[in-house]
């Protein structure tokens, strides 16, 4: 169960770089929300503030009604997937997926069970002993997803996760991510600059421009009132 409230969130990188302006949004449990807008509009900054990777300049961020502005990332119960996958090149697929669990001192047999289950869901069973360089782009992104799902985090944040994939794989992975969401029902925020991707994936769209939320609604509502 995870609800997020962004109450008047602001981000200044500098006194003249006002990257996010009075961002207000309530995200319900199990929702799949997409932030969409051109490069530089503040999507990634907003996501990173939610993850705790970037300080919030003003406003309140609530997760299940608890204010988390000052909670460090590792205590936020959030898993994030990045565009460049951020895998450890010297580690196997198994160890990449297991990494966050080892960090949190889970028992070895519990880790193994979770990693093997995630690998099955993502079709990576036969690749557990490989290093990332011996994987395709799609497989690498599945490893990154695996690392997020084994954590059982309350919230998934995905920052342009498919941007480095070719067009065909991108379409396939969209469906895989949607299926993953149907299965796990984890509250998810997905960031993309790609309008088609946003329209096909979102249950709710948040359209941003120049640090400002311009529109919030279903893909149909946004499409009908551009
Ligand atoms: P998006 O994810 O929509 O492409 P960003 O959140 O990355 O947008 O960037 C929003 C604005 O903040 C841009 O003007 C960008 O140049 C600026 N910005 C992003 N990161 C930094 C940073 N670390 N330092 C200064 N300015 C930044
Ligand atoms: P370390 O503790 O040295 O980091 P590893 O993470 O390589 O060790 O392995 C820890 C345990 O994870 C092993 O004992 C093994 O049970 C399991 N394991 C590692 N790789 C695999 C794999 N490809 N498939 C199944 N289990 C694995």
């Amino acid at each position: 169960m995870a609800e997020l409230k962004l109450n008047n969130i602001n981000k200044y990188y500098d006194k003249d770089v006002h990257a996010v302006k009075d961002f207000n949004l309530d995200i319900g449990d199990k929702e799949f929300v997409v932030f969409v807008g051109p490069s530089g509009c503040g999507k990634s900054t907003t996501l990173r503030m939610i993850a705790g990777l970037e300080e919030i300049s003003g406003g309140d961020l609530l997760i299940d009604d608890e204010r988390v502005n000052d909670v460090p990332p590792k205590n936020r119960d959030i898993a994030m997937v990045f565009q460049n996958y951020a895998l450890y090149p010297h580690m196997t697929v198994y160890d990449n997926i297991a990494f966050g669990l080892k960090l949190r001192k889970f028992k070895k047999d519990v880790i193994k069970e979770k990693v093997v289950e995630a690998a099955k869901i993502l079709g990576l069973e036969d690749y557990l002993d490989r290093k990332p360089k011996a994987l395709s782009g799609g497989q690498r992104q599945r490893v990154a997803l695996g690392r997020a799902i084994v954590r059982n985090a309350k919230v998934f944040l995905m920052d342009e996760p498919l941007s480095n994939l070719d067009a065909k794989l991108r379409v396939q992975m969209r469906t895989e991510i949607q299926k993953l969401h149907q299965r796990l029902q984890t509250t998810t925020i997905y960031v993309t600059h790609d309008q088609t991707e946003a329209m096909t994936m979102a249950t709710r769209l948040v359209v941003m421009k120049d640090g400002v939320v311009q529109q919030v609604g279903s893909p149909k509502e946004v499409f009908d009132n551009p």
Side-chain angles (χ1 to χ4, degrees):
M1 149 88 192
E3 293 171 1
L4 280 86
K5 290 194 173 77
L6 284 77
N7 293 341
N8 234 32
I9 298 286
N10 279 273
K11 177 66 184 183
Y12 289 91
Y13 281 109
D14 228 325
K15 63 176 176 347
D16 33 297
V17 185
H18 195 175
V20 177
K21 301 168 189 164
D22 298 334
F23 194 121
N24 285 292
L25 185 71
D26 287 358
I27 299 174
D29 188 35
K30 301 176 185 166
E31 252 200 285
F32 192 105
V33 175
V34 176
F35 293 179
V36 65
S39 177
C41 72
K43 307 181 295 293
S44 194
T45 298
T46 307
L47 213 59
R48 292 169 59 81
M49 286 192 284
I50 296 168
L53 302 174
E54 203 68 71
E55 207 178 313
I56 296 171
S57 311
D60 296 314
L61 173 65
L62 308 176
I63 301 180
D64 291 335
D65 293 322
E66 184 202 351
R67 186 178 185 274
V68 298
N69 288 47
D70 304 316
V71 175
K74 71 173 170 31
N75 297 337
R76 284 193 191 194
D77 207 4
I78 285 175
M80 188 153 170
V81 177
F82 300 90
Q83 175 176 359
N84 61 4
Y85 321 128
L87 301 180
Y88 298 102
H90 60 289
M91 290 185 195
T92 63
V93 167
Y94 184 95
D95 287 335
N96 265 288
I97 296 177
F99 186 79
L101 299 175
K102 286 188 186 171
L103 208 64
R104 289 171 180 79
K105 309 269 184 253
F106 279 80
K107 291 209 178 82
K108 273 200 167 182
D109 54 338
V110 176
I111 294 179
K112 185 167 181 170
E113 196 179 311
K114 286 174 181 285
V115 173
V116 170
E117 194 199 344
K120 276 195 190 130
I121 292 172
L122 295 162
L124 290 169
E125 308 99 298
D126 297 336
Y127 301 93
L128 286 170
D129 295 322
R130 291 207 193 173
K131 302 270 175 72
K133 69 172 183 315
L135 300 175
S136 70
Q139 289 167 337
R140 285 179 201 173
Q141 196 49 290
R142 286 190 195 102
V143 177
L145 289 168
R147 201 164 51 183
I149 68 179
V150 289
R151 291 258 322 278
N152 265 337
K154 275 185 176 182
V155 179
F156 285 164
L157 303 178
M158 303 193 186
D159 194 354
E160 304 264 6
L162 307 183
S163 296
N164 283 343
L165 302 178
D166 65 52
K168 188 167 163 229
L169 198 53
R170 204 152 61 221
V171 170
Q172 183 191 330
M173 290 295 293
R174 280 180 199 159
T175 312
E176 288 190 26
I177 289 175
Q178 284 176 307
K179 283 196 181 140
L180 204 57
H181 179 254
Q182 277 159 16
R183 178 173 183 144
L184 303 174
Q185 301 272 299
T186 307
T187 307
T188 302
I189 306 176
Y190 186 105
V191 160
T192 181
H193 66 274
D194 182 329
Q195 292 195 14
T196 311
E197 190 164 299
M199 288 289 191
T200 53
M201 294 189 77
T203 44
R204 209 148 58 103
L205 276 173
V206 175
V207 182
M208 295 182 72
K209 194 184 169 194
D210 297 335
V212 176
V213 173
Q214 299 234 306
Q215 248 183 316
V216 180
S218 69
K220 187 175 180 329
E221 285 163 346
V222 170
F223 186 75
D224 289 344
N225 306 287

